Every structure is written in C-alpha cells, then in structure tokens.
Amino acid sequence: MKKLVVANWKLNPTTAKDAVKLASSINIKAKNKVVLCPPTIYLSSISYPNVGAQDCFWKTSGAFTGQTSVSQLKDLKIKYCIVGHSERRATGDTDQMINGKIHSLLEAKITPILCVGYGTTVLQDDLEVVDILKHQLDAGLNGVDASKVVVAYEPVWAIGTGKNASPEHAEKISIFIKAKYKVGTVLYGGSVNANNAKDFLRQQNVGGLLVGGASLKAGEFNGIINY
Ligand code: PGA
C-alpha cells in the first residue's frame, strides 16, 4: 500500500529558481504518494502533482497583514496544508488557532496535516506522551471530522536534531491516534532520512512520513519516497 510522504521545506531554499530546480528533481512517479510543501511565496512557481502549504490563516479575507487564506491556497490548487507545526506553536500558535485553521481548510476541501508532539521530551514513556498529545488532539480536532485530517506525530526533541524516535514508539502512538480519534492517516516526523525511513514505513500503522531536512536533498528524498 502507498504511504504518504510530505516534504516540509520550511524556510528553504532562498530563491525561486532553486525551489523550482529542487521540485523538478523529485520523482513524480515515486512508489509512495508525495506532497511538496515549499514556502508560501513559491507555491505558485512549483509544479508537482501534490503541493501543500506550510501554514494558513483561519479567516478567508480581511485586514490581516501578512497572512495567507485557504481561499488563496484553493485558488492555487493546493491540496494539503500543514498546521500546528512545533516551530509555529513555539512562536504563538495556540490549539484554538490551529483548530480554526483546520475548520477553514476542511471547508475549502484542503487536507490539513495536523502536527502534534510539541512539549514532549526524549525521556517520556509512551503513556506520558499520549497524555500530552491528547490535549493537542482534543483541542485541534474539536468539532472536526477527524477522518479527513492527516495527523503527523513529531516529537519536538526529534526535529532537526538527528535523533529520531524509535519506529516501535511511532507505531504505538499511531495506533493510539487512529483508535481514539478515528484519524485515517498518521505520519511520523523527526530526523527521518534515507537510512531510517524504511524502518518507519514498515510499521503497519505509520501511514507515512513528514520530512524536513532530508527533503532538501533530492537524492536522499528520492530514496525515501521510493522505498
Ligand atoms: P526534520 O524536520 O526532518 O528536519 O527533523 C521535520 C519537521 O520539522 O517536519
């Protein structure tokens, strides 16, 4: 079965030319389903079967300087949008704001990719992690048809550190999220690379990956999406 692999380019690359070049070097006929999420400013330049945004605003228009609305994403035929990434939560995004974004995305028929895992630490056991995630999931999915949402479990300590969670831990957490919230697809994210990707993709309940750093290296990312 095809899994979902999402590339989160974050604030990279620094020119539109490099963004177009990177997108054109990613296989379009990969074994897994792939979504490229470039910075907002490059969304209209990237041509790839599935393109996603890294964030959005919960209002569709109005006096909201610097924001991007779901209507604008829809107009560009964007199919996915990451919300609640730990890097956004760290700069002030609350669970309520994230919930508003999810409602807005679903109304526009754009698939939200809800990131959870902010506030977890490396030494916590599975039950403690579940406790923290529950707060983020209860609030983020409030009033939402969770079967239409992709959830990405990203323990914050694993992001960009080169230290990934164990595939068995990712599997356990995925089982919990699917069972309790009826979410169809749960991804794992946090220091995924071409070497460890297969260990996560082999887990039955891990529905795919959210990849940061390794998605900026075409050779490495092509290895991940073709497993
Ligand atoms: P990383 O980032 O793969 O560089 O750890 C993942 C993410 O932040 O989505």
Side-chain angles (χ1 to χ4, degrees):
M1 200 191 70
K2 276 194 179 196
K3 298 217 168 178
L4 181 66
V5 183
V6 181
N8 179 9
W9 290 0
K10 307 191 180 186
L11 194 53
N12 304 290
T14 48
T15 66
K17 194 172 159 215
D18 285 347
V20 169
K21 193 171 153 211
L22 177 57
S24 68
S25 50
I26 306 303
N27 292 167
I28 50 168
K29 287 195 178 137
K31 287 192 186 140
N32 292 295
K33 184 170 182 183
V34 179
V35 181
L36 300 184
C37 300
T40 313
I41 196 159
Y42 303 144
L43 282 173
S44 57
S45 317
I46 299 296
S47 131
Y48 197 79
N50 297 300
V51 179
Q54 296 176 13
D55 196 27
C56 67
F57 195 56
W58 58 88
K59 298 263 191 190
T60 45
S61 63
F64 304 104
T65 303
Q67 302 289 0
T68 305
S69 79
V70 296
S71 322
Q72 292 161 339
L73 296 180
K74 189 85 197 157
D75 188 47
L76 293 182
K77 303 194 168 41
I78 300 306
K79 296 182 191 159
Y80 293 82
C81 182
I82 298 170
V83 289
H85 191 280
S86 59
E87 287 153 14
R88 308 257 358 147
R89 291 182 192 258
T91 54
D93 271 26
T94 64
D95 286 318
Q96 285 64 37
M97 288 155 74
I98 293 161
N99 179 247
K101 294 175 187 193
I102 293 177
H103 276 278
S104 195
L105 285 164
L106 288 176
E107 239 165 73
K109 298 199 162 42
I110 297 172
T111 303
I113 302 169
L114 167 62
C115 299
V116 293
Y118 188 56
T120 59
T121 66
V122 69
L123 293 172
Q124 264 152 341
D125 64 25
D126 297 342
L127 286 177
E128 282 177 334
V129 170
V130 158
D131 226 37
I132 294 170
L133 300 187
K134 262 192 208 155
H135 291 283
Q136 291 168 20
L137 288 161
D138 284 346
L141 296 174
N142 187 22
V144 162
D145 176 358
S147 67
K148 298 203 165 89
V149 177
V150 172
V151 170
Y153 169 52
E154 295 205 303
V156 67
W157 56 264
I159 296 177
T161 57
K163 295 183 212 138
N164 55 280
S166 76
E168 295 73 27
H169 170 72
E171 172 73 354
K172 273 191 205 153
I173 299 295
S174 303
I175 291 171
F176 159 74
I177 295 173
K178 285 171 75 174
K180 180 155 170 66
Y181 295 93
K182 310 287 172 253
V183 166
T185 307
V186 180
L187 314 178
Y188 167 77
S191 296
V192 171
N193 57 40
N195 289 327
N196 62 26
K198 61 179 177 317
D199 299 328
F200 291 102
L201 292 173
R202 266 195 211 126
Q203 304 295 322
Q204 204 186 335
N205 291 281
V206 175
L209 302 165
L210 180 51
V211 187
S215 71
L216 298 169
K217 300 170 204 146
E220 176 138 13
F221 191 62
N222 282 326
I224 295 173
I225 64 180
N226 279 309
Y227 174 70

